[in-house]
């Protein structure tokens, strides 16, 4: 249907009726108007990509429109920034993950500023995280550009929440049209097969006795409070038929996609390797069928057959039945049996390319089964499938394992893997981690996901404003952190600083605040700690503490005040205090090595303090094991703190310390003995 909405993609053959765009028939639109105003996104992101690099891919459409080069560069730069593609701007398109490819395709289409955006199953090949990010981006485009969006999807849970209107197609006809709630009620009323594709909240409404809602977060929370159980699997045992140990593989020298990966697959089981797009799942399958070079050991004495992610790669004939006969004319009876099992008998004489995405996947499975494999490798087999096709596909896989076949799946479809896999392993950092039965493995994933979500909700809410013993404890902790800063302020006042000294300190605080705001785009790479250290070096420990703590308070009027502010005050304040102590004998000024070490330690100590706040924000009190876990997850950010401290200290210290010493001398901040030393120098 979607191809009838785009002039350049109109299918051949007889057509009746008409499709109007802006009062004109689609086929009568001028080429320039059609290309520019009607954007189209293919189901398979790889099929849409033409150029070798991301930059050229985004610029391709603009170049065809005849846009001047300088204007084209500006437009591409704007689009790259809008879609946050800076990190992959110069990457080769064939090295991108599925989610990245789809985002680049969307950026390339949006660069031409279309009025209508048409998307064919845009999330079918994306993992859950990438799928959510993509849909959020679509909502943003709709809101900010007033863009009309038309999309098809088998996953109603994804689209119903964001849709203004839904159209249900069945057997080439519109059976229902209206707002999402009306359509959902209709499907439930007639017990249509698509009812199984409705959001969980609608399918389980009666069972859980919850109110109808299209706020999916609210819906999931209601279900979570009631009941939710994954299908339990019994422990699977069998002899090892496929063994991989210490596997290394990559597409570029020195860049391993797979790193020290090891896994054993048992005879007659369904093993699922899950992970995000770009985690190396497809690369692993390529190594298993020896389509790419690798280092390590791979042992297998069974016949392996591989089904690629794109099923169309297997089709060579114009008719499905003829295509399947390519595997052997003596297998005609078996073909009919498999077509019947797969509910594809009616499509027997259809062109493979005319099948839906789910039907193509089923047809591709039939074709590889005709090769009589003992081990079957499946790359994202459920992409493009609705729940009904996914169920039939899973049941077919179960029947195959009953016949002794072994199945290895890579997928981002957690629900499918939970229901049909015997064991599940997570692809992460080039390895398969945490292999377990689905009920145990996915329970851990869900628990982690819920904890992260809970932390986000807490950070967004006034978590410390109301009741609860643990929250009261956290509030007391924050109050104690605030109190701990007071002695340092008294220590400064006890010095009886000159007015001009206070003025200079105020200037340093203002510069520190300005430096934080200037680098607002980079959460971890900021010169704040370096400025605080320099202030402590120049004016002493008391001034260093005030510079650090007050800079946190003042800058948070821009970044946002909250329970985290006292922790920032204490962390930066102590960094300034210690730098003043260490520089009493000019240790930091005169030794670049000590300055570097202190910059690194400052980054680590800041992370340690702020991670206490992160743990307390979760609302479960302080626990050492959880604190260690939080520290572990924050290592990349901590490294960024350390690197930024060292870089800014190297750049700023020679300039600032020299100028601040001149200020101190000019306005008489030095003690008499210090003046004598300075003169002697």
């Amino acid at each position: 249907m979607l191809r009838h909405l785009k002039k350049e993609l109109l299918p051949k053959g007889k057509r009746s009726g008409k499709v109007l765009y802006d009062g004109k028939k689609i086929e009568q639109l001028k080429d320039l108007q059609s290309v520019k105003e009607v954007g189209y996104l293919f189901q398979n992101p790889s099929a849409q990509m033409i150029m070798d690099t991301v930059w050229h891919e985004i610029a391709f459409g603009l170049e065809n429109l005849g846009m001047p080069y300088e204007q084209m560069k500006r437009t591409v730069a704007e689009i790259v920034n809008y879609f946050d593609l800076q990190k992959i701007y110069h990457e080769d398109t064939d090295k991108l993950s599925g989610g990245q490819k789809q985002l680049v395709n969307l950026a390339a289409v949006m660069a031409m500023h279309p009025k209508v955006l048409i998307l064919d199953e845009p999330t079918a090949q994306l993992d859950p995280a990438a799928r959510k990010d993509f849909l959020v981006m679509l909502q943003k485009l709709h809101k900010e550009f007033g863009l009309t969006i038309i999309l098809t999807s088998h996953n109603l849970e994804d689209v119903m929440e964001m849709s203004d209107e839904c159209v249900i197609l069945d057997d080439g006809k519109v059976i229902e049209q209206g707002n999402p709630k009306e359509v959902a009620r209709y499907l439930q009323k007639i017990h249509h097969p698509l009812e199984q594709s409705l959001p969980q909240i609608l399918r389980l409404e009666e069972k859980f006795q919850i109110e109808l809602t299209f706020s999916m977060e609210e819906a999931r929370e209601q279900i979570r409070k009631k009941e939710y159980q994954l299908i339990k699997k019994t422990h699977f045992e069998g002899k090892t038929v496929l063994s991989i140990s210490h596997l290394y593989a990559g597409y570029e020298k020195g860049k391993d996609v797979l790193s020290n990966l090891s896994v054993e697959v048992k005879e007659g089981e369904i093993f699922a390797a899950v992970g995000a797009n770009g985690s190396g799942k497809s690369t692993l399958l390529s190594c298993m069928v020896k389509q790419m070079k690798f280092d390590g050991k791979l042992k297998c004495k069974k016949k392996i057959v591989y089904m690629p992610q794109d099923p169309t790669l297997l089709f060579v004939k114009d008719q499905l039945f003829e295509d399947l006969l390519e595997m052997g004319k003596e297998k005609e009876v078996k073909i009919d049996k498999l077509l019947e099992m797969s509910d594809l008998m009616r499509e027997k004489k259809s062109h493979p390319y005319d099948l839906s995405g789910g039907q193509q996947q089923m047809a591709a499975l039939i074709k590889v089964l005709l090769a009589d494999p003992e081990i079957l490798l499946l790359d994202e087999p459920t992409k493009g499938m609705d729940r009904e096709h996914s169920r039939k596909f899973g049941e077919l896989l179960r029947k195959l394992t009953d016949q002794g076949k072994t199945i290895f799946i890579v997928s981002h479809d957690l629900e499918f893997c939970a229901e049909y896999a015997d064991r599940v392993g997570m692809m992460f950092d080039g390895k398969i981690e945490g292999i377990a039965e689905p009920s145990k493995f996915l329970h851990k994933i869900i628990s982690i996901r819920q904890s992260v979500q809970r932390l986000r909700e807490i950070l967004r809410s006034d978590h410390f404003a109301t009741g609860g013993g643990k929250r009261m404890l956290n509030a007391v902790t924050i109050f104690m952190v605030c109190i701990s800063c007071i002695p340092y302020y008294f220590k400064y006042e006890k010095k009886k600083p000159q007015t001009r000294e206070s003025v200079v300190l105020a200037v340093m605080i203002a510069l520190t605040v300005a430096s934080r705001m200037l680098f607002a785009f980079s959460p971890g790479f900021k010169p704040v700690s370096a400025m605080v250290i320099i202030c402590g070096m120049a004016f002493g420990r008391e001034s260093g503490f005030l510079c650090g703590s007050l800079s946190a308070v003042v800058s948070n009027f821009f970044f946002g005040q909250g329970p985290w502010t006292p922790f920032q005050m204490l962390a930066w304040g102590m960094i300034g205090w210690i730098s003043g102590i260490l520089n009493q004998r000019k240790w930091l000024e005169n030794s670049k090595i000590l300055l570097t070490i202190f910059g690194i330690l400052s980054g680590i100590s800041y992370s340690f303090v702020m991670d206490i706040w992160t743990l307390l924000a979760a609302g479960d009190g302080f626990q050492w094991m959880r604190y260690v876990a939080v520290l572990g997850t924050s290592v990349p950010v901590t490294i960024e703190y350390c690197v930024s401290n060292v870089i800014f200290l190297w750049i700023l210290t020679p300039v600032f310390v020299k100028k601040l010493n001149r200020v101190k001398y000019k306005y008489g901040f030095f003690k008499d003995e210090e003046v004598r030393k300075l003169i002697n120098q």
Side-chain angles (χ1 to χ4, degrees):
M1 184 195 74
L2 292 186
R3 293 171 62 188
H4 290 271
L5 308 182
K6 179 72 172 172
K7 176 184 175 181
E8 293 77 14
L9 300 175
L10 287 173
K12 296 179 181 179
K14 295 181 180 180
R15 296 172 63 239
S16 61
K18 56 185 178 181
V19 178
L20 301 179
Y21 174 78
D22 199 20
K24 300 178 183 177
K25 290 184 178 181
I26 285 288
E27 56 268 29
Q28 295 176 351
L29 292 179
K30 294 182 179 179
D31 292 341
L32 184 62
Q33 184 183 13
S34 178
V35 171
K36 188 175 181 180
E37 296 186 10
V38 183
Y40 194 102
L41 225 61
F42 290 79
Q43 183 177 153
N44 183 359
S46 300
Q48 190 158 350
M49 289 193 156
I50 300 172
M51 308 306 289
D52 295 332
T53 65
V54 172
W55 188 95
H56 288 100
E57 184 65 34
I58 297 173
F60 180 78
L62 301 176
E63 190 176 8
N64 284 337
L65 293 176
M67 183 177 288
Y69 183 70
E70 291 300 322
Q71 184 182 349
M72 183 171 64
K73 284 203 305 182
R74 288 195 302 270
T75 302
V76 172
E78 291 170 359
I79 288 293
V80 166
N81 281 293
Y82 186 87
F83 285 89
D84 196 23
L85 299 175
Q86 295 92 336
K87 293 182 180 179
I88 60 170
Y89 183 54
H90 295 292
E91 289 287 332
D92 293 339
T93 53
D94 60 352
K95 295 177 182 176
L96 303 178
S97 68
Q100 290 172 327
K101 287 180 179 178
Q102 196 70 304
L103 199 60
V104 170
N105 286 335
L106 180 60
V109 171
M110 289 304 302
M112 294 183 283
H113 299 289
K115 295 180 180 179
V116 178
L117 182 61
I118 302 170
L119 306 103
D120 184 7
E121 295 278 2
T123 63
Q125 301 191 46
L126 305 184
D127 61 68
R131 185 168 68 241
K132 185 175 181 180
D133 290 342
F134 188 85
L135 293 173
V136 168
M137 178 57 71
L138 288 185
Q139 290 176 294
K140 183 181 178 183
L141 292 173
H142 172 67
K143 182 179 179 180
E144 296 183 2
F145 293 92
L147 192 65
T148 298
I149 299 176
I150 303 171
L151 63 86
T152 61
S153 178
H154 66 274
N155 194 334
L156 300 185
E157 186 164 0
D158 278 348
V159 299
M160 274 196 150
E161 183 181 0
M162 61 181 289
S163 300
D164 299 305
E165 188 167 5
C166 290
V167 178
I168 302 297
L169 292 175
D170 190 9
D171 199 22
K173 299 177 182 178
V174 175
I175 63 170
E176 185 63 12
Q177 181 175 352
N179 69 58
K181 289 184 180 181
E182 291 172 350
V183 170
R185 290 300 190 206
Y186 175 79
L187 294 175
Q188 290 177 316
K189 182 181 178 181
I190 66 171
H191 300 293
H192 194 276
L194 276 177
E195 181 185 1
Q196 299 302 312
S197 298
L198 289 171
Q200 287 183 345
I201 187 61
L202 300 181
R203 290 186 283 119
L204 302 177
E205 178 186 1
E206 183 177 351
K207 177 180 178 181
F208 290 102
Q209 297 180 347
I210 52 183
E211 298 180 359
L212 173 64
T213 176
F214 274 92
S215 173
M216 293 303 135
E217 291 300 324
E218 181 184 343
R220 292 187 183 103
E221 183 62 28
Q222 290 188 54
I223 294 175
R224 197 178 294 124
K225 290 178 180 178
K226 298 283 184 176
E227 174 186 8
Y228 186 78
Q229 292 182 344
L230 292 167
I231 295 177
K232 294 181 179 180
K233 302 288 180 182
T234 57
H235 180 66
F236 191 90
E237 295 182 356
K239 69 177 183 179
T240 300
V241 294
L242 177 64
S243 175
I244 300 174
S245 57
H246 308 298
L247 185 70
Y248 293 83
Y251 300 94
E252 294 183 20
K253 191 175 181 180
K255 293 184 179 181
D256 289 327
V257 177
L258 304 177
S259 177
N260 198 28
L261 183 148
S262 299
V263 65
E264 290 186 347
V265 182
K266 308 295 183 179
E267 186 177 27
E269 77 167 328
I270 299 178
F271 185 98
V274 302
N277 293 112
S279 60
K281 303 189 302 293
S282 297
T283 303
L284 173 60
L285 294 186
S286 296
C287 293
M288 292 167 74
V289 294
K290 300 182 180 179
Q291 290 183 350
M292 67 180 295
K293 294 181 179 180
F294 60 87
D295 293 322
K297 294 181 179 180
L298 194 157
K299 296 180 181 179
C300 181
K301 296 182 179 179
K302 301 285 186 176
K303 183 179 180 180
I304 295 179
V305 176
Y306 168 60
M307 190 179 100
Q309 188 173 145
D310 183 3
T312 60
L313 297 174
L314 299 178
F315 304 136
V316 295
K317 297 289 186 178
D318 294 334
Q319 191 182 93
L320 176 59
F321 186 72
E322 291 181 359
D323 200 289
L324 297 177
L325 281 176
E326 284 286 303
M327 305 302 294
K329 296 191 182 292
E330 73 281 359
K331 298 182 179 182
E332 186 172 344
V333 176
K334 189 175 181 179
I335 292 172
D336 284 339
K337 185 179 178 180
L338 289 170
L339 286 172
E340 192 68 39
M341 288 174 59
S342 308
D343 199 25
L344 289 177
M345 186 58 75
R346 290 189 303 172
E347 313 298 335
K348 186 176 179 178
K349 296 184 178 180
S350 299
H351 194 294
Y353 282 46
D354 289 335
L355 303 178
S356 69
Q359 289 174 328
Q360 287 181 345
Q361 289 290 90
M362 197 72 79
L365 177 63
I366 293 173
K367 190 162 185 176
V368 297
L369 287 176
L370 293 172
D372 296 321
E374 294 173 287
I375 300 176
L376 189 59
L377 308 182
L378 307 179
D379 190 357
E380 299 287 357
T382 60
K383 70 175 181 66
M385 287 188 181
D386 57 33
R387 292 185 187 274
E388 183 61 19
H389 277 95
S390 181
R391 181 187 63 79
K392 291 180 179 179
F393 191 88
E395 289 176 354
L396 181 56
L397 295 185
R398 274 283 158 219
K399 290 178 181 178
L400 293 174
T401 57
D402 292 340
Q403 298 171 10
K405 298 189 184 298
T406 303
I407 299 172
F408 188 101
I409 300 172
V410 298
S411 177
H412 57 251
D413 190 342
L414 294 181
E415 188 172 346
F416 179 84
C417 295
E419 187 168 357
Y420 295 104
D422 296 299
R423 292 190 298 151
V424 181
M426 170 63 78
M427 290 284 295
F428 178 76
D429 196 26
K431 305 178 183 69
I432 293 182
E433 304 280 7
I435 299 174
E437 299 164 19
S439 58
K440 297 178 181 178
F441 180 84
L442 295 175
H443 176 73
K444 292 178 181 179
I445 294 178
I446 292 170
S447 298
I448 293 169
R449 186 182 296 166
Q450 290 175 347
S451 299
V452 172
Q453 181 62 31
R454 184 181 179 190
L455 179 58
R456 288 173 177 170
E457 291 170 356
I458 290 168
L459 292 173
R460 292 172 183 163
S461 65
D462 190 11
H463 183 65
F464 295 89
T466 58
K470 291 178 179 178
R471 284 180 286 188
M472 181 59 70
L473 177 62
N474 293 339
V476 171
T477 304
I478 293 167
F479 178 74
M480 295 302 296
V481 173
C482 293
I483 294 297
S484 66
C485 295
I486 294 176
Y488 298 97
Y489 297 147
F490 279 116
K491 188 74 174 177
Y492 179 78
E493 289 297 321
K494 192 176 179 180
K495 282 179 56 183
K496 297 181 180 180
Q498 305 173 44
T499 302
R500 50 197 170 187
E501 186 175 350
S502 298
V503 171
V504 175
L505 177 59
V507 172
M508 285 298 300
I509 293 172
L511 290 172
T512 305
V513 171
S515 72
R516 190 183 181 194
M517 294 175 67
L518 187 63
F519 285 81
F521 62 91
S522 176
F525 195 86
K526 296 181 187 296
V528 179
S529 294
M531 293 293 293
V532 172
I533 291 170
I534 290 170
C535 184
M537 290 167 59
F539 300 108
R541 58 190 181 181
E542 296 86 0
S543 297
F545 187 90
L546 256 70
C547 180
S549 60
L550 294 181
S551 294
V553 176
V554 175
S555 61
N556 277 354
F557 283 107
F558 173 81
F559 290 97
Q561 301 286 359
W564 53 86
T565 300
F567 291 87
Q568 291 176 320
M569 292 171 61
L570 183 62
W572 275 323
M574 290 306 303
I575 289 172
W577 179 272
I578 296 172
S579 70
I581 295 174
L582 293 177
N583 205 51
Q584 286 179 339
R585 298 186 178 182
K586 309 299 180 184
W587 288 350
L588 298 181
E589 277 187 48
N590 298 331
S591 176
K592 200 169 184 177
I593 295 175
L594 289 178
L595 188 65
T596 301
I597 293 172
F598 185 68
I600 294 171
L601 293 176
S602 297
I604 295 172
S605 62
Y606 180 83
S607 185
F608 276 22
V609 173
M610 295 310 299
D611 282 342
I612 294 174
W613 148 247
T614 302
L615 185 61
L616 293 177
D620 294 320
F622 185 91
Q623 297 180 26
W624 278 108
M625 291 299 295
R626 291 189 177 185
Y627 181 56
V628 172
V630 172
L631 290 175
T633 59
S634 65
V635 168
V637 178
T638 304
I639 293 173
E640 191 177 6
Y641 289 155
C642 297
V643 172
S644 71
N645 287 351
V646 172
I647 291 175
F648 284 114
L649 282 172
W650 284 0
I651 296 172
L652 300 177
T653 300
V655 178
F656 267 85
V657 171
K658 187 176 181 180
K659 290 185 181 295
L660 291 174
N661 281 336
R662 289 178 180 174
V663 170
K664 288 164 64 179
Y665 180 76
K666 181 178 179 179
Y667 292 105
F669 293 170
F670 286 99
K671 297 176 182 177
D672 291 339
E673 60 268 26
E674 292 175 330
V675 173
R676 286 194 297 272
K677 288 180 181 179
L678 191 65
I679 293 173
N680 292 331
Q681 288 177 358

